[in-house]
Amino acid sequence: ARLVQKLIITDEREEIELEPADVGVGISQVLPVVVGVHDKKFTLLSIEQPELHIHPAIQCNLADELVSALFHSDRTTIERESDRVLLLETHSEHLMLRLLRRIRESYDGELPPGVKGLSPESISVVYVERDNQGVKITHLPVTEDGDFEKKWPKGFFEERTEELF
């Protein structure tokens, strides 16, 4: 017997069914990520630029999906569900800011209802760049209130500040 599966995407505003090709390239890029993080069998999942071709608001929602795949939380405790590890290579300021926000909200006890929390110990941020000697790796520890202990190396958050002011 052959099992045939079909993905149907529904635009709830227009009440129409769409094929994945009809909703833009972002869906085809992020769908394997969402399916992968919800696979109960994974222990290590490596994802390169999960934010590609998706709207900034969706990037933030994706960060919440990534957190929910790894951690269980309530308003008083944050406990690791399993030995699952996500290795993300990202250039998304939106994704990073959402992770920092969830750490801050967990620390302050202000998580929105139904949203999973995150602790600074459960995340490791590493900045990788080339220099004259080869590859330079900088670990950026995160504080309990969702900020970086060290200044971010050149790029990302600097550009945002320069563009705003």
Side-chain angles (χ1 to χ4, degrees):
R2 189 174 138 205
L3 177 63
V4 177
Q5 294 180 340
K6 181 178 180 180
L7 174 65
I8 298 173
I9 299 170
T10 304
D11 181 336
E12 293 178 348
R13 291 174 296 186
E14 303 294 327
E15 298 180 7
I16 58 173
E17 290 183 1
L18 303 166
E19 296 291 327
D22 297 331
V23 292
V25 105
I27 277 292
S28 68
Q29 298 291 318
V30 79
L31 192 58
V33 173
V34 173
V35 169
V37 299
H38 288 286
D39 181 345
K40 300 292 184 197
K41 297 176 192 167
F42 96 82
T43 54
L44 172 64
L45 192 59
S46 177
I47 306 168
E48 183 178 357
Q49 297 180 342
E51 73 277 0
L52 277 184
H53 306 296
I54 58 175
H55 189 278
I58 304 298
Q59 292 179 36
C60 292
N61 292 339
L62 177 60
D64 283 335
E65 283 298 310
L66 298 173
V67 170
S68 70
L70 297 176
F71 297 93
H72 169 73
S73 71
D74 60 30
R75 296 211 179 251
T76 58
T77 62
I78 302 169
E79 298 176 18
R80 187 83 187 241
E81 281 188 355
S82 68
D83 293 331
R84 291 177 159 200
V85 174
L86 273 176
L87 177 60
L88 303 174
E89 186 272 326
T90 184
H91 299 120
S92 173
E93 183 179 5
H94 303 290
L95 195 117
M96 193 74 249
L97 288 173
R98 176 58 60 95
L99 295 175
L100 294 174
R101 175 181 172 186
R102 294 303 181 226
I103 291 170
R104 183 175 60 254
E105 290 172 340
S106 296
Y107 177 73
D108 292 338
E110 296 178 354
L111 281 169
V115 171
K116 304 286 187 184
L118 197 59
S119 69
E121 298 79 29
S122 60
I123 185 172
S124 179
V125 179
V126 179
Y127 182 82
V128 181
E129 65 182 320
R130 291 181 192 219
D131 66 11
N132 294 336
Q133 287 77 39
V135 176
K136 180 180 176 184
I137 298 173
T138 305
H139 180 249
L140 298 168
V142 177
T143 64
E144 287 183 334
D145 61 346
D147 201 358
F148 293 112
E149 284 183 15
K150 299 177 184 177
K151 190 174 182 180
W152 190 271
K154 52 187 162 172
F156 292 92
F157 299 104
E158 277 180 18
E159 275 73 15
R160 184 178 209 283
T161 302
E162 288 179 22
E163 294 300 320
L164 288 173
F165 302 106

